Amino acid sequence: MKQPFLIIVLCSAFGLLGPTGGTLADSIRRYDCTIDGTDREPVGDRNGHIIISLQYTCRIADGLLKDAGITSISVSEWDSEKGTYLASLDVHRALEGYAVGQLLEGDGSLVMEDNRAAGIAATGKTVFKFASGSLAALSGKTLKFTTKPAVGSRRFEMEFSDWPEAAQPK
């Protein structure tokens, strides 16, 4: 009597895990990010013209891939509320995988809430110059990214679209 009950419990558990596993094959990869350090330098030629460099780390936002993450440095030029990303280098880590992405292009804008800056929304493209292991499918690929402010100080969400299914860690 115990064996049929155990089989029913295991099948139910796998049934519940099935939809979660299916989201891993999604072509969108979401990260929760934290700004670790930032530097603002006024250019000096006009008011509001600055260069911002920041370092940030990200963790996978949802699913079973808690070990996946990004470490990055980004440099952007801002003219008041509009920005252009000049350079960014991202190191992506996943279970048995490693990849390095380089910014191709990116633009950002200041997000205001209740008459105060809530963060930055950005869009752009990253090319993966190196990828190995479970992330090897990223090698040479160009992916689109978007960012938006998240709840909490120095936090944002990053999303990559067109993430290759083969680069989804198993």
Side-chain angles (χ1 to χ4, degrees):
M1 191 74 131
K2 283 187 176 184
Q3 192 172 20
F5 178 73
L6 181 59
I7 291 171
I8 291 171
V9 169
L10 286 175
C11 288
S12 297
F14 288 129
L16 290 174
L17 289 176
T20 304
T23 61
L24 296 179
D26 193 354
S27 67
I28 295 176
R29 176 64 72 87
R30 292 176 186 86
Y31 290 90
D32 290 322
C33 303
T34 303
I35 298 171
D36 300 320
T38 185
D39 187 27
R40 297 169 183 243
E41 292 293 329
V43 175
D45 60 344
R46 61 186 179 274
N47 195 21
H49 190 202
I50 59 174
I51 299 291
I52 297 178
S53 64
L54 57 91
Q55 301 82 39
Y56 60 90
T57 53
C58 304
R59 293 280 175 227
I60 201 79
D62 46 25
L64 303 173
L65 306 172
K66 297 292 184 196
D67 66 324
I70 302 172
T71 302
S72 183
I73 184 166
S74 176
V75 179
S76 54
E77 175 186 17
W78 287 81
D79 199 356
S80 295
E81 296 180 8
K82 298 289 182 190
T84 301
Y85 287 82
L86 304 173
S88 183
L89 190 62
D90 307 329
V91 177
H92 294 248
R93 298 168 317 285
L95 186 63
E96 299 179 20
Y98 196 79
V100 178
Q102 180 179 337
L103 176 78
L104 287 177
E105 61 185 56
D107 294 306
S109 60
L110 196 59
V111 175
M112 303 294 286
E113 287 181 6
D114 299 324
N115 290 329
R116 65 175 190 85
I120 294 172
T123 61
K125 294 180 183 177
T126 296
V127 64
F128 285 88
K129 298 286 193 159
F130 172 85
S132 68
S134 63
L135 297 177
L138 291 172
S139 186
K141 299 280 189 221
T142 298
L143 278 75
K144 296 176 186 172
F145 70 86
T146 58
T147 70
K148 65 181 180 181
V151 176
S153 177
R154 305 177 66 80
R155 298 181 44 88
F156 64 96
E157 296 174 8
M158 183 182 313
E159 184 175 285
F160 287 91
S161 58
D162 305 325
W163 192 272
E165 185 175 326
Q168 299 289 349
K170 307 289 185 239

